[in-house]
Amino acid sequence: MTNRFQVTDRFADGAQYIGGRLRAGTSDREHSVIDPATGESVYTYTLASTADVDEAVAAAKAAFPGWAGATPGERSDALHRLAGVLADWAEDIARVESLQCGKPLKLTTEFDVPGTIDNAAFFAGAARHLQGQSAAEYSGDHTSYIRREPIGVIGSIAPWNYPLQMAAWKILPAIAAGNTIVLKPAEITPLTSLMFAMAAKEAGIPDGVVNIVSGSGRVVGEHLVGHPDVVMTSFTGSTPVGKRVAEVATATVKRLHLELGGKAPFLVFDDADLEAAAQGAVAASLINSGQDCTAATRAYVQRPLFDAFVARVAELMESVRVGDPFAPGTDLGPLVSHRHRDSVAGFVERARGYATVVAGGEAPGGELKNGAYYRPTLITGAAQDSEVVQSEIFGPVLVALPFDGDDEGIRLANDTPYGLAASAWSRDVYRANRATREIKAGCVWVNDHIPIISEMPHGGTKASGYGKDMSAYSFEEYTQVKHVMFDNTAVAAKDWHRTIFGDR
């Protein structure tokens, strides 16, 4: 294995970031960050306790009046500086992300880190455009206008698959709108979330505006979500855990944003460019080792193209280079943990009883045997109601199924509980446009699958949750819309008063 990034010295003071400084957690439990490519510990820290959450929320609450009172221009300038710091630290951040997640270095350097810098730059601009409806005299006697105001302390929970990007997606719109935040990253991947908070301090964002508590979901996560001083929760993760987050949050009448699981359909019509669809399916199903809630997981291919599509996808998957994330030329790194690798393998092994594994379906041996690796896998012959079609596997596994008419293809695409993302592949603009209308998902790509941009929203429907990350639409989650109404008549006894007392 190539040289790893050494993180122990950088986080020597601990894995909690509260009130502008790193410090150790106060629980009685230690946790190790494991390099999934080797199975070796790269950093050990003390988990946060509920007392640490209380301290972080108190720091955020204390910082809120000053940050909320800053002008949009001042917040914008700070976020521009943050984008600059992230750019300066880009190489180190990318290497730490690859170390804790097992992502190939080319993914972190060309996708995760540049996307996060762009997100910071976008919200630096968006901070100046928190606009409401224009002022007008809707009643005739009053002038009405809308104010958008920050809501307070945000308590967010981010997942392990994109620790840096998810930290940015949670933190940036919240603080751009004038809120303060306490973020709980996944305890197995806290390091780049901490680096993001440290970059915010370097950029001059006041202490207490951004806080990180690294601890378990059952203890720290639930305490954060249920905290009486937290006014809003944003959670990204699995649908079952999202249901529990909703239970805890609604007990204190919190605002709630949920970005949950996905099972994205990849719908290929018989007039599609076969090579483009096959190339797109491999890239979209294997991004981040398939650990992406928008990844292509169900390829529905119209029957005239089905056999050729399966053959080409299998051929391309066999060419994918599985290996050390830090080695030049590696396409696919390990999954995030051995435990998760075994979960993915379990889905595939059970599928052998009712379907055909065309490619992959195994962990590589040799020099990769100690890592949490799993080969790119293609499955055919599964029934629509089978586990591999209906359940979120979250690994490098694509299931291909044939369909006949367009009605059937769209029906099958919609036939899971999820509705996060989808794609349609066709040269016919009317056919593709119909698919974008009728597929129930928060995002539908046409002749591509996966690209995201800061200017457009990300979020789902059905069991994939509700609310939006990124774009100006995310401000709907993090601002309070206030109606202000001025009387313009200066009349003491108004005509409408007579409906309550007195006569005209």
Side-chain angles (χ1 to χ4, degrees), residues 282 286 315-322 329-332 375-376:
V282 173
L286 300 185
E315 180 182 30
L316 289 169
M317 281 188 169
E318 293 292 347
S319 73
V320 171
R321 297 164 295 183
V322 181
T330 292
D331 296 319
L332 193 75
R375 293 194 184 281

Side-chain angles (χ1 to χ4, degrees), residues 34-368:
I34 303 297
D35 177 355
T38 64
E40 298 173 356
S41 172
V42 295
Y43 178 68
T44 299
Y45 68 97
T46 304
L47 291 168
S49 67
T50 57
D52 296 322
V53 175
D54 292 340
E55 186 176 342
V57 172
K61 185 177 180 180
F64 174 69
W67 185 246
T71 67
E74 290 168 337
R75 292 198 293 269
S76 175
D77 289 346
L79 290 174
H80 276 299
R81 294 193 299 270
L82 173 58
V85 174
L86 293 170
D88 290 341
W89 294 6
E91 182 178 351
D92 283 358
I93 294 172
R95 294 180 70 83
V96 173
E97 192 79 332
S98 290
L99 181 68
Q100 67 177 353
C101 299
K103 299 169 183 276
L105 195 58
K106 69 176 182 179
L107 182 65
T108 58
T109 57
E110 297 180 29
F111 181 76
D112 297 67
V113 175
T116 300
I117 295 168
D118 183 73
N119 216 225
F122 169 80
F123 278 106
R128 290 180 177 266
H129 297 284
L130 282 167
Q131 298 171 343
Q133 194 168 1
S134 299
E137 288 68 47
Y138 295 99
S139 76
D141 291 336
H142 307 82
T143 296
S144 289
Y145 67 89
I146 295 296
R147 290 177 57 89
R148 279 195 179 273
E149 298 179 344
I151 56 178
V153 177
I154 312 300
S156 292
I157 299 176
W160 49 256
N161 59 331
Y162 289 102
L164 174 67
Q165 286 195 312
M166 293 298 100
W169 288 16
K170 303 302 183 194
I171 293 170
L172 288 169
I175 68 174
N179 303 288
T180 57
I181 189 167
V182 179
L183 174 78
K184 190 202 90 66
E187 61 267 39
I188 63 174
T189 55
L191 301 179
T192 49
S193 298
L194 294 166
M195 294 179 78
F196 190 95
M198 295 161 71
K201 182 180 179 70
E202 183 77 8
I205 293 174
D207 293 349
V209 172
V210 179
N211 306 273
I212 308 292
V213 287
S214 305
S216 73
R218 290 186 180 276
V219 177
V220 169
E222 291 202 9
H223 190 69
L224 177 62
V225 172
H227 199 289
D229 289 333
V230 169
V231 300
M232 184 262 190
T233 289
S234 177
F235 170 80
T236 297
S238 72
T239 298
V241 177
K243 291 178 180 179
R244 175 58 184 163
V245 169
E247 290 175 3
V248 176
T250 53
T252 51
V253 199
K254 282 179 173 48
R255 191 180 293 199
L256 187 60
H257 164 217
L258 298 174
E259 200 267 87
L260 306 177
K263 193 70 178 173
F266 187 98
L267 186 60
V268 182
F269 293 103
D270 58 10
D271 67 330
D273 182 322
L274 177 62
E275 182 64 15
Q279 295 270 351
V282 173
S285 62
L286 300 185
I287 185 171
N288 203 35
S289 297
Q291 299 166 129
D292 187 313
C293 49
T294 62
T297 60
R298 299 178 290 137
Y300 295 103
V301 184
Q302 204 150 19
R303 205 170 295 275
L305 292 185
F306 182 76
D307 290 342
F309 176 87
V310 168
R312 183 59 176 143
V313 167
E315 180 182 30
L316 289 169
M317 281 188 169
E318 293 292 347
S319 73
V320 171
R321 297 164 295 183
V322 181
D324 175 12
F326 290 87
T330 292
D331 296 319
L332 193 75
L335 281 83
V336 75
S337 69
H338 289 76
R339 178 181 178 182
H340 185 59
R341 190 271 311 276
D342 293 345
S343 172
V344 171
F347 277 99
V348 177
E349 290 308 307
R350 291 190 294 274
R352 292 185 193 276
Y354 55 80
T356 300
V357 177
V358 177
E362 62 182 4
E367 64 179 12
L368 303 180

